Amino acid sequence: QEMKQVQRGLFIVFEGLDRSGKSTQSQRVAKYFQEELQRKVQNISFPNRDTKGGKILNDYLQNREQKLNDRAVHVLFSFNRWEMQPEIIEILKNGTNLICDRYAFSGVAYSAAKGLDFEWCKNSDRGLIQPDLTFFIDVKPETIQQRGNFGDERYERFEFQSKVSKVYDSFKQDYRDSKHWITIEGENKTREQVTEEILNKITAYENDVMPLLDFDKMA
Ligand code: Z5A
Ligand code: MG
């Protein structure tokens, strides 16, 4: 008897500073998957402000919630990813490609930038389903400062973004040889040029790396 095999979806994450172009690229890549490749695709983003944990995070980010301490906030951002795990796994198992705007690297980057220990910050995200590809859009804090709407929420200050940038730099170093982390130089490039580079990397990954992974080990 023949079993119908469903190829699971790709799990693609975008990381970077505020205004680095994560949402822009998430949308553009999803559109390409859907319209040009006719492949099933879905977008999600973190924080997901609609869940139980997400509502508290939204108040916090909009400065309406003043009492939470940094560690509590850190764990809430992780909790928000754990809340979404069953849905993420379901989507991928259905064969839908998932494009995710921020994930656990953001959790570590923003909390470590506040002074929390880098290794401690990783703990609450250990065991989350891991992305196939994380695209880090590398743009300087000076550049994002000049983009639209900068300055509306809690973390949108130049000095803080510079600290976040340093934490991302250490990830960039740590994962420089990983097939699952791709740094995209984002300075002086149009949105279209960035998308083209990303799509080329996705194609290369699917051709070279993905067939080697053991999908059955997915949670
Ligand atoms: N946070 C955290 O602390 N811990 C966590 O675990 C997680 C998050 C998950 C809200 O995140 C905050 O939550 C965030 C981190 C923290 N802190 N802050 N601040 P968010 O994802 O909701 O919001 P955001 O990432 O800060 O901002 P954003 O506006 O969504 O940024 P973006 O998605 O990277 O950028 P964009 O909207 O695609 O582009 C911004 C502008 O630049 C827009 O006008 C574009 O048209 C323009 N743009 C885009 N690409 C280009 C190029 N190539 N050239 C020129 N202009 C461009
Ligand atoms: Mg965004």
Side-chain angles (χ1 to χ4, degrees):
Q1 193 184 343
E2 212 174 297
M3 287 250 290
K4 192 166 172 280
Q5 291 275 344
V6 179
Q7 163 97 5
R8 74 157 172 87
L10 269 175
F11 184 19
I12 298 174
V13 165
F14 283 95
E15 285 285 0
L17 298 180
D18 291 15
R19 287 7 180 215
S20 57
K22 301 175 300 297
S23 299
T24 302
Q25 295 304 327
S26 299
Q27 299 304 326
R28 290 180 57 83
V29 169
K31 194 168 162 40
Y32 183 87
F33 265 63
Q34 197 146 32
E35 292 178 7
E36 305 296 323
L37 305 177
Q38 265 90 51
R39 287 170 65 171
K40 289 190 285 180
V41 66
Q42 206 168 316
N43 286 93
I44 59 166
S45 62
F46 287 104
N48 175 353
R49 301 183 193 222
D50 298 326
T51 62
K52 288 213 164 81
K55 293 199 171 79
I56 310 175
L57 285 170
N58 188 45
D59 283 347
Y60 174 78
L61 287 167
Q62 297 189 350
N63 295 307
R64 287 196 298 261
E65 167 59 66
Q66 304 291 348
K67 286 191 196 122
L68 289 174
N69 67 71
D70 292 344
R71 283 187 175 78
V73 169
H74 177 79
V75 181
L76 259 179
F77 273 110
S78 293
F79 175 78
N80 190 232
R81 282 182 282 279
W82 284 108
E83 280 181 302
M84 292 297 291
Q85 289 299 286
E87 194 172 324
I88 289 176
I89 290 168
E90 202 48 42
I91 291 167
L92 295 173
K93 281 192 169 166
N94 272 328
T96 300
N97 300 286
L98 187 59
I99 301 188
C100 180
D101 192 343
R102 291 192 184 278
Y103 200 52
F105 296 106
S106 286
V108 176
Y110 284 77
S111 293
K114 293 172 174 173
L116 298 184
D117 181 72
F118 184 65
E119 292 302 323
W120 181 87
C121 288
K122 292 177 181 174
N123 286 328
S124 49
D125 285 306
R126 286 190 205 281
L128 287 177
I129 177 162
Q130 294 182 21
D132 290 290
L133 284 169
T134 296
F135 286 103
F136 168 56
I137 307 178
D138 199 0
V139 178
K140 291 198 199 79
E142 287 81 1
T143 306
I144 59 153
Q145 200 178 17
Q146 280 148 29
R147 292 187 177 171
N149 294 325
F150 188 74
D152 295 345
E153 281 197 336
R154 184 179 287 263
Y155 297 143
E156 298 176 355
R157 284 171 291 112
F158 178 76
E159 307 75 54
F160 187 69
Q161 292 294 321
S162 304
K163 289 183 186 161
V164 176
S165 177
K166 293 218 169 69
V167 188
Y168 274 127
D169 279 344
S170 50
F171 279 130
K172 190 171 133 182
Q173 276 303 310
D174 291 348
Y175 297 119
R176 64 187 177 281
D177 297 323
S178 169
K179 292 179 182 346
H180 305 283
W181 173 281
I182 293 171
T183 299
I184 298 283
E185 171 57 58
E187 293 287 335
N188 302 313
K189 278 186 193 150
T190 63
R191 295 160 184 76
E192 292 76 16
Q193 286 171 322
V194 175
T195 309
E196 197 184 328
E197 260 184 61
I198 290 166
L199 292 172
N200 287 338
K201 296 287 187 189
I202 294 173
T203 305
Y205 180 86
E206 288 195 296
N207 291 337
D208 303 338
V209 184
M210 213 172 163
L212 304 175
L213 298 176
D214 185 352
F215 299 139
D216 295 334
K217 295 231 173 84
M218 205 175 85

